[in-house]
Amino acid sequence: MGFEDEENLSICECSHCERSSYWFEGRMIFPADAPVPPPHEDLPDECRSDYEEARDIFSRSPRASTALLRLCVQKLLVHLGGDGKHINSDIKRLVENGLSILVQQALDYCRVIGNNSVHPGEINVNDTPEIAASLFGMINFIVEDRITRPKQIESLYNQLPEGAREAIHIRDEPK
């Protein structure tokens, strides 16, 4: 299959990943242009496909992208200890278990914006794609705080000599 106007079609190969991209009239058409951040490397697999699909369609439909990110947040909350039935209840449970105020605010931001993309309310995501774009960064922030940092600390802690870890355990045992 050919194009009638092949002079406006370009195929480029990335020098980093060696994958091809296709451009038509100066606009990348594949892979989809995604002016939003990629998923955090520690984003759980059960959330990644929703995040990637949201990136893929963001330029064409920020509202649909936001709805997918709301689903991503709901799945992320299950990974963090929620039951996945109600985002608001899951956030409340995490707050009761000591969730920091910054992460709580990030989750509530995602909840409210995502909910309004599905059920229009006070915020109209169609009018403000910048708000929709901010959800990508918020999700990555939540992953960094709740998944990546604890993993890093655990890894460093596990490098302590076993005797030191045992002494800490004894120190912290309830008496």
Side-chain angles (χ1 to χ4, degrees):
M1 179 169 104
F3 289 89
E4 291 180 25
D5 189 4
E6 292 180 15
E7 67 186 48
N8 289 323
L9 177 68
S10 301
I11 301 172
C12 301
E13 185 176 296
C14 176
S15 61
H16 177 71
C17 70
E18 298 181 357
R19 293 174 59 192
S20 295
S21 61
Y22 299 86
W23 297 72
F24 184 70
E25 295 182 350
R27 183 169 184 247
M28 187 167 59
I29 56 174
F30 182 84
D33 185 17
V36 293
H40 193 287
E41 65 184 37
D42 287 331
L43 183 68
D45 290 339
E46 60 269 20
C47 306
R48 187 171 297 277
S49 63
D50 296 321
Y51 188 104
E52 290 286 6
E53 185 176 351
R55 280 186 85 222
D56 186 45
I57 65 169
F58 175 78
S59 294
R60 293 184 305 276
S61 177
R63 185 171 182 215
S65 179
T66 300
L68 282 165
L69 290 174
R70 183 180 191 277
L71 178 59
C72 179
V73 168
Q74 193 160 5
K75 290 177 180 180
L76 181 58
L77 283 165
V78 170
H79 184 84
L80 297 176
D83 63 17
K85 293 180 183 169
H86 302 286
I87 291 177
N88 201 39
S89 300
D90 286 348
I91 294 170
K92 179 180 180 184
R93 181 176 300 119
L94 291 170
V95 167
E96 289 169 350
N97 291 326
L99 185 70
S100 77
I101 188 73
L102 286 176
V103 177
Q104 175 257 312
Q105 289 174 345
L107 284 165
D108 277 324
Y109 180 86
C110 293
R111 177 184 63 82
V112 171
I113 298 299
N115 195 47
N116 286 336
S117 75
V118 180
H119 309 288
E122 295 178 23
I123 298 172
N124 186 342
V125 177
N126 287 324
D127 293 339
T128 57
E130 297 79 16
I131 290 176
S134 67
L135 290 175
F136 291 94
M138 284 292 199
I139 289 171
N140 284 339
F141 166 79
I142 294 162
V143 170
E144 177 71 24
D145 188 88
R146 303 308 300 167
I147 298 172
T148 303
R149 287 184 183 162
K151 261 182 21 180
Q152 291 169 338
I153 292 168
E154 180 182 20
S155 174
L156 291 171
Y157 181 80
N158 287 334
Q159 293 175 23
L160 292 173
E162 178 137 0
R165 289 194 316 258
E166 181 61 30
I168 291 168
H169 177 71
I170 292 169
R171 176 199 70 196
D172 294 342
E173 275 185 354
K175 304 212 186 258

